Amino acid sequence: KSIASVDIKGKQFVTDDYTNITPKIVSYLGKNLHMQKHNPLSIVRQRIVNYFYSSFTQRGNPAFSVYDNLCPIVTTKQNFDDLLIPSDHPSRAKSDCYYINRGTLLRAHMTAHQSELLRSGLDNFLMIGDVYRRDEIDSTHFPVFHQVDGVRSQRKDELFPGQPDLEIFEANYDQKNPHTFINSIKDPMKQSCHTLEATKLMETQLKTHLIALTKVLFGETIKYRWVEEYFPFTHPSWELEIFFDNKWMEILGCGIVRNEILVSAGPTNSIAYAFGLGLERLAMALYKIPDIRLMWSTDSGFLTQFENVNLNERITYKPVSSYPQCTNDMSFWLPENLTIDTFVNNDFYDLVRDIGGDIIEQVRLKDKFVHPKTKKHSLCYSIVYRHLERTLTQAEVNQVHKTIEKAVVDTFGVAIR
Ligand code: PHE
């Protein structure tokens, strides 16, 4: 009996009941938009890296090392287990991640590399790359986006220079036998192993640097606020929101790294903070880019606007021109084994994108309906089509729409109404 497998970038992977990666998604691997010279994501990446290079130096050399070429194919251990993400946590769901098989997926965040880099002995580092999440389809969501993650760890002598009586750890925590200590996160202020002094100083440094970075990017007058958050791998944790375009927008998550993660990766005498920023959000806001799909544009009308620019120059994207949208609805009856509550929206979205490609601008669930007599379940979706670089004809859209309908019938066993 032969074992089913897929080829991804020349490597063979066994497939199983978790496999949900599609050829369309595989085609994004290796595009590395964050490294493309004239891509707005690359400009934001360089500005962030420059901030960390210039703000932290040791004897004139940058203290942060930068990893921007790590392979996006990771294990569930890297993406979840090493980060203390519980086995029943919703972020592991098949409906939210692109799995290659039960043990392997496309990383859902850059934090997936945190433990391995700590284990290799690094103390200050940035991890930059493409991450993959199944999500809805609209102008701000795309299944691939880019993140900059960072870690800064310090020993007692670095955190409290010249203050030998200040400690990172509480007296009942034994650095030689860290496994004998049960590290609680019940106190909202700090982890039980850490002193309040060490936690507060790290919190201040973390917040000060992230605000300084935000001001470098958006200008001195940017309005911001900190929001308490929860991440399984940090405690305490926060999100930073900026006031932009008349609304609060989340731009990063951060916190004090859980001591268990440091201990299993190596350092038992340090405290660390970590953060993760989304590059698309920042680039779209900074340059007023209205649609996330434009990041993937190879059109010279787009890319030349970001060519040969001074990194800190104020650039406002000028739409090359705006082509019209075309909206078609799709209604169908679900087969007996599915209900309007068990049908997985993200499965539908992936199929629509697989067939329609990048002319799909948005997919909206328009209506849910249970027939009062037959008890049959029905769904209606609106699909908005728009090409970024030319006008689509209604006939052309109808043809794509028909092809999607056929695939939806074949894949989910629905009946088009
Ligand atoms: N990985 C988190 C996310 O993707 C961001 C984060 C990174 C939060 C590091 C805390 C520390 O949302």
Side-chain angles (χ1 to χ4, degrees), residues 109 111 133 147 149 231 233-234 253-255 274-276:
H109 55 177
T111 322
R133 287 187 205 170
Q147 288 184 324
D149 249 57
F231 298 106
F233 33 93
T234 49
C254 64
F275 53 87

Side-chain angles (χ1 to χ4, degrees), residues 94-306:
K94 229 175 114 172
S95 59
D96 287 38
C97 303
Y98 288 103
Y99 281 95
I100 298 174
N101 54 44
R102 268 181 183 270
T104 321
L105 72 160
L106 299 182
R107 63 187 168 212
H109 55 177
M110 287 308 294
T111 322
H113 301 286
Q114 179 175 291
S115 281
E116 66 194 84
L117 292 178
L118 283 168
R119 201 166 291 125
S120 73
L122 293 168
D123 48 6
N124 300 300
F125 53 94
L126 299 176
M127 305 160 267
I128 310 173
D130 39 334
V131 302
Y132 297 76
R133 287 187 205 170
R134 304 183 71 193
D135 213 330
E136 47 214 80
I137 299 182
D138 65 26
S139 65
T140 62
H141 291 88
F142 201 76
V144 194
F145 57 102
H146 298 76
Q147 288 184 324
V148 175
D149 249 57
V151 172
R152 170 161 176 79
S153 38
Q154 298 179 95
R155 295 181 313 265
K156 172 181 154 83
D157 57 303
E158 295 166 306
L159 186 62
F160 298 123
Q163 294 171 289
D165 44 324
L166 291 178
E167 299 290 344
I168 288 178
F169 294 102
E170 294 284 5
N172 59 345
Y173 174 82
D174 179 358
Q175 288 180 48
K176 302 260 147 45
N177 296 297
H179 294 285
T180 61
F181 188 87
I182 300 187
N183 190 23
S184 152
I185 54 167
K186 280 204 202 88
D187 180 348
M189 301 269 266
K190 67 180 200 66
Q191 300 173 38
S192 65
C193 66
H194 292 141
T195 63
L196 191 57
E197 294 76 20
T199 308
K200 281 287 167 198
L201 184 50
M202 288 295 281
E203 174 181 341
T204 304
Q205 293 183 359
L206 168 65
K207 289 182 170 175
T208 306
H209 279 294
L210 292 174
I211 292 301
L213 169 64
T214 304
K215 289 186 171 171
V216 165
L217 294 175
F218 288 92
E220 276 299 319
T221 55
I222 186 78
K223 251 172 75 182
Y224 64 85
R225 68 180 183 197
W226 289 102
V227 180
E228 309 247 323
E229 242 309 325
Y230 168 80
F231 298 106
F233 33 93
T234 49
H235 184 80
S237 310
W238 304 274
E239 266 176 7
L240 178 59
E241 296 183 344
I242 58 171
F243 196 70
F244 198 86
D245 246 3
N246 268 311
K247 52 182 182 293
W248 289 103
M249 176 173 84
E250 179 232 312
I251 57 164
L252 64 86
C254 64
I256 309 295
V257 176
R258 292 270 296 267
N259 192 54
E260 296 89 319
I261 296 174
L262 294 177
V263 167
S264 53
T268 58
N269 59 352
S270 303
I271 183 168
Y273 63 64
F275 53 87
L277 299 110
L279 284 181
E280 272 77 356
R281 284 265 175 103
L282 295 174
M284 288 177 78
L286 276 170
Y287 307 130
K288 307 230 180 347
I289 299 171
D291 191 307
I292 195 168
R293 292 175 298 166
L294 283 161
M295 301 298 172
W296 297 84
S297 174
T298 52
D299 185 74
S300 61
F302 177 75
L303 291 173
T304 51
Q305 298 192 33
F306 300 94

